[in-house]
Amino acid sequence: MDETQRESRLGFEDAIFTLAPEGLGTAQSALGRTRLRTFITLRWLAVGGQSAAVLLVYFGLGFELPLALCLAIIAASAWLNVFLSFAFPSQRLTRSWEAALQLGFDTVQLALLIGVTGGLSNPFLLLLLAPVTVAALSLSFLWASVIAALALILAALMPLAALPLPWTEAGGTHLPILFQWGQFAALAVGTVFFTVSAGRVSQDEARLVRALDAASVVMAREQKLSALGAMSAMTAHELGTPLATIHLVAKELVRDLSPDDPNADDLRLIAEQADRCRAILSAIREAREANDIVHARTPLDALVEEAAAPMKGLGVVVTVRAAPGEGGAPRPPVIERSPEILHALGAFIENAVSFAASRVEATANWTADQVIITILDDGPGFSAEVLPKLGEPYISDRSEARLGGGDMGLGFFIAKTLIERTGGRVAPRNRTPPATGAVVQAVWPLQALLPRDLD
């Protein structure tokens, strides 16, 4: 394995974390970056809905309410939209604090409108959940909590300053204070629930997007190496003809010159160097052709050996074993040389080497219908906190590793995703006591790995 291949395998997860600040960002950086046009559109919808509701109650149902005050409160949202539309490009991504300010304004505006039309007695009180939910979906948990707290504080102040429900002046029943506080309790429960649940969903989605982006970076690296190999083969092929011409012309010129001609030595040197270039290009071409054969298919044990090769010589004994299982053929099956499987196995072996006390074993087994690759080490094993999370795209501090709350979360997710893309599944666990260490087992149907012309 050459240095370029070794570099592409080593630091599987470290490369992802190195690239993160520039290309991938963190899960939190994906939040609070909503387009300004989205907020403006949602606010226009709110303005239209609020206007329709107020006019329907006043003119359609005939209830008395402070129409001018209600329309003035609604107009405040409309004027904010007009200002934002002229002051900033609509495609501009808002910063977290800008989005929080806009949602805070929407919360205050909606609370004022509800306050002058009945307060906690108003059945539209639950609309205060709208800006809270948008905040939970688009902002960090801290900013979402601020918006949620603002909504609850404004709702709690309504009994002190709210105007009565318009229907009481038209002969409607006055709602008891207990009902109003029941409305507040329902709002509080809904606010907390939507803030937490929507926030968790948006956090998971942001982490998933980042993890999938990282997986695409890993595969793009492999495709780039493959493209470089193809380019080298094409270059060797294209340069072969002109170098042969240079070599031939130089030889003929040497024959036409007298031995004592001062240009004879230069022409001989040109011919020798052209011949040397042809030999180098021939070696590149042969290496590429051999690599293409290996790239197409390889024995199962050779694939595991290739994945483990960069991890050898790092202070931990890495052993690769291969043995048939029940009903398996005596020799390892020949499978497609999948870059996804190589990267995934390399990540699992790298993680095992990082935490092993002295040895890591990678075992390949096969039966009549399955392929099983097991990677185990003699380290501390996965912690009880980490084990249920393995396979989720969460970000953690590698320094805490298995003994603490962290592990290779993102890297494990990427490796697991790559295995699943090839038709396999991954099962992590700890070794059975008294043995210590972690076990990661990948299982595929044999037919999923066979070369297509052998299916």
Side-chain angles (χ1 to χ4, degrees), residues 60-133:
L61 301 180
F63 293 158
E64 291 293 331
L65 52 77
L67 181 62
L69 181 57
C70 290
L71 294 179
I73 295 173
I74 296 173
S77 286
W79 279 112
L80 175 62
N81 265 3
V82 172
F83 169 76
L84 293 176
S85 298
F86 283 100
F88 304 102
S90 62
Q91 295 295 334
R92 177 176 178 269
L93 293 177
T94 60
R95 297 182 178 88
S96 294
W97 64 270
E98 293 174 342
L101 283 179
Q102 291 195 51
L103 291 171
F105 171 87
D106 294 335
T107 303
V108 173
Q109 185 266 351
L110 187 57
L112 287 175
L113 186 60
I114 293 174
V116 300
T117 54
L120 295 180
S121 300
N122 193 322
F124 289 98
L125 176 68
L126 290 181
L127 286 179
L128 275 175
L129 291 176
V132 173
T133 303

Side-chain angles (χ1 to χ4, degrees), residues 355-376:
F355 300 105
S358 61
R359 67 185 180 89
V360 171
E361 293 183 6
T363 305
N365 302 110
W366 60 94
T367 65
D369 56 0
Q370 278 190 332
V371 170
I372 306 103
I373 297 178
T374 306
I375 300 166
L376 62 86

Side-chain angles (χ1 to χ4, degrees), residues 2-60:
D2 59 30
E3 190 63 28
T4 304
Q5 290 174 316
R6 181 179 179 86
E7 182 180 349
S8 71
R9 296 282 171 72
L10 285 173
F12 176 89
E13 184 185 0
D14 293 334
I16 295 168
F17 279 88
T18 301
L19 289 170
E22 298 178 1
L24 299 177
T26 62
Q28 287 293 338
S29 67
L31 301 175
R33 304 296 290 170
T34 307
R35 289 183 302 173
L36 178 62
R37 186 173 69 178
T38 300
F39 288 113
I40 292 176
T41 301
L42 292 175
R43 194 171 294 111
W44 279 127
L45 291 175
V47 168
Q50 292 169 6
S51 300
V54 168
L55 294 176
L56 176 64
V57 169
Y58 188 81
F59 293 105

Side-chain angles (χ1 to χ4, degrees), residues 177-325:
I177 191 66
L178 182 61
F179 175 84
Q180 297 182 36
W181 284 112
Q183 285 272 78
F184 176 79
L187 176 68
V189 171
T191 299
V192 173
F193 174 79
F194 279 105
T195 301
V196 175
S197 60
R200 287 295 301 271
V201 169
S202 61
Q203 289 274 351
D204 289 345
E205 183 180 0
R207 289 168 178 165
L208 179 61
V209 169
R210 181 183 178 233
L212 292 176
D213 285 346
S216 66
V217 168
V218 173
M219 296 312 302
R221 178 182 299 175
E222 178 69 19
Q223 293 171 358
K224 185 177 182 180
L225 291 174
S226 179
L228 287 174
M231 186 177 296
S232 68
M234 181 186 68
T235 303
H237 176 74
E238 295 296 330
L239 290 179
T241 300
L243 283 173
T245 303
I246 294 172
H247 182 266
L248 178 61
V249 172
K251 287 288 188 180
E252 291 178 351
L253 289 175
V254 169
R255 283 199 303 268
D256 294 341
L257 294 176
S258 61
D260 57 347
D261 192 305
N263 294 322
D265 290 339
D266 292 338
L267 289 173
R268 290 191 189 94
L269 179 61
I270 292 175
E272 291 173 359
Q273 294 303 313
D275 194 50
R276 182 183 176 190
C277 289
R278 291 175 64 195
I280 293 173
L281 293 176
S282 178
I284 292 175
R285 190 184 302 112
E286 292 173 359
R288 175 62 185 175
E289 291 172 355
N291 184 62
D292 286 342
I293 295 174
V294 173
H295 211 85
R297 62 189 64 180
T298 183
L300 176 63
D301 56 341
L303 184 75
V304 180
E305 185 69 47
E306 183 179 355
M311 300 299 114
K312 293 184 177 181
L314 300 180
V316 175
V317 177
V318 180
T319 305
V320 177
R321 307 179 188 276

